[in-house]
Every structure is written in C-alpha cells, then in structure tokens.
Amino acid sequence: MDMLTLSHVKKCFGENPVLKDVSLSVPEHTIFGFVGKNGAGKTTTMKLILGLLAPDEGEILVDGLPVRYGDTATNRLIGYLPDVPEFYSYMTPVEYLTFCGGITGMEKREIQKRQEELLALVGLEKNRRIKGFSRGMKQRLGIAQALLHRPKLLICDEPTSALDPVGRKELLDILVAAKEKTTVLFSTHILSDVEHICDELAVLHEGKIVLQGALEEVRNARRETAMELEVERQEDVALLLAEFPFLQPVGRNGLLLRDEIHLPELLFFIARRKLSFLRMERQEATLEDLFLEVIGE
C-alpha cells in the first residue's frame, strides 16, 4: 500500500513554475529518498503535502486521504522535521515533549510512555536544558517530537545538511530504526545518505521527476561498468593511448576502458610489450553518476 501519493501536482509562484506535473508514490514502511539540488522544489513539495500551500493542479493523498489546503486533517497522520528545528531553549526534552503532546491532545499516560521510548531511541538525557544542545542533539529531539503521536508518515526536510559525520550517522541510524513503525520521506541533496538508508528514491529536477524507483532497480537498470587500469610509468600511458584511442586518461597514470569488448586485445598488448601495471579493477556507476546523468550534468 502507498502511504503517500502525488498525482500530476503543479505549483507556480507568480510566473515562476516550481513544480511541473509531479507524480510519485511512497510505499508504506519504506525510507523514500526525495533527491534534488538546492532550489529544485523539494521544500515546496513538503509544504504542499503538509497543506501549508495549495497546489495549482493535481492531487495529494496521505494514507488514501486527500490533503486540503487550510483543512489539514491529514496532518494528524504526519510527523515533520524541518531542516532547522526550533525549540524553547529553557525547557528540557521531557518538558518539551510533554508540551507537544498536550497540544496534540495526547493523554498524559501515553505522553509519558512515548517520552521514555523516544528519548531512548534518540539517545538524549531527559532533564538537560535544550539551551546547551548541539545541532545534532536538536535534530534528534526534533525526530522524537515528530514521532511522538505515532505518525504514519514522517517527513524529514534536509535533516543532515548541516551535521558533522558523527551527527549524520546518528540521525540516519535513528531513521532506519523508525522505519519499522512509520514511513519516512527523506528529502535531501546528499546522495551518500540516500545510498546508506533509502529503499526507494525519486529525483526532482527543474520541477519534474526525472528518475524514480527502488534503489537497487534504479542502479541495475542504469548500471554502467568500466575497467580502470593503472600503469607504473607515464610513458606507458602515452603508448596505450596511441594504440587504443578509446581509452580515457584518469588521474596520473590511470586509464579507463568503458567497453569491455576491447579488454582481451588490451591485455594481450600489455603482455606482449611487457608493460608494468599496478592495478586493474572494475568500476560501477554510483548514485552520484546516475544523478548527474539524469539532470544532464
């Protein structure tokens, strides 16, 4: 079952079209990577899903229910973590979660139970003042708040963009753990994060979805392999390029062979000339390669 569906969604600001016929589906209990360059329209899409903006055309469904601008009943199903969450710095995590639970109408006993579970999940002390929290600690508290009311959909808008490597890993591990009980829409421009945790992805470019599908299926469908050869001497690079002009120089003494049909003759030439090489290894297309390919860069 799809937890989130966007069908032919369009959005303009004045004469500027930001989203142009966007359609995507997010399956239940997946981490779905929503990928695009800064300014691609990801945050606008998040605001449309949350009912904070009205689409010019198209329909958005959350758990089969339509999202209506100004009538955000579907937000009861959604937890939201912005890229820069804000808190009352004088509060502790327990006080803040109690405050948020009260706003959403949760019972005191349920709030207390969820506090214990979520603060253990995100690894935060109960009674430390938020004023002294690092950026990573605030992001973890933001996830706890977003998960407090047991949402069916958790939306994270660029949650790792300003974190250090340790903070990023901690946050990604939390999202993987959260997937067991919710669906995660993970908006980002950091492709390595997508490769680490996402099950599916969609690439947004210039207001359109240019690539979408399960991560492994996308990789397999567009996989391009090549062989990289590194020789010991610079003069051997020139010799091989003269004999095999389809080779591409890589680095100081490296050569890239994209069509492996030529590999036997290349190896025969190296053996016949007794050229010394340091390594030969297969190179596979990364998610970054695919991203640059589909956006035309």
Side-chain angles (χ1 to χ4, degrees), residues 222-227 257-260 282-285:
R222 308 182 74 93
R223 178 165 291 175
E224 178 183 334
T225 60
M227 295 296 296
L257 174 66
R258 293 198 175 276
D259 191 347
E260 292 188 22
R282 185 184 300 275
Q283 302 290 333
E284 295 186 349

Side-chain angles (χ1 to χ4, degrees), residues 100-137:
C100 294
I103 289 175
T104 58
M106 295 175 63
E107 296 182 357
K108 289 185 178 181
R109 183 177 298 179
E110 176 67 5
I111 293 173
Q112 291 174 350
K113 178 182 178 182
R114 292 295 286 160
Q115 284 173 353
E116 296 287 337
E117 295 172 352
L118 292 169
L119 292 177
L121 173 66
V122 302
L124 289 177
E125 298 177 24
K126 298 179 182 180
N127 297 312
R128 180 176 174 180
R129 297 295 171 189
I130 298 171
K131 182 178 180 179
F133 279 15
S134 67
R135 176 71 183 269
M137 294 168 72

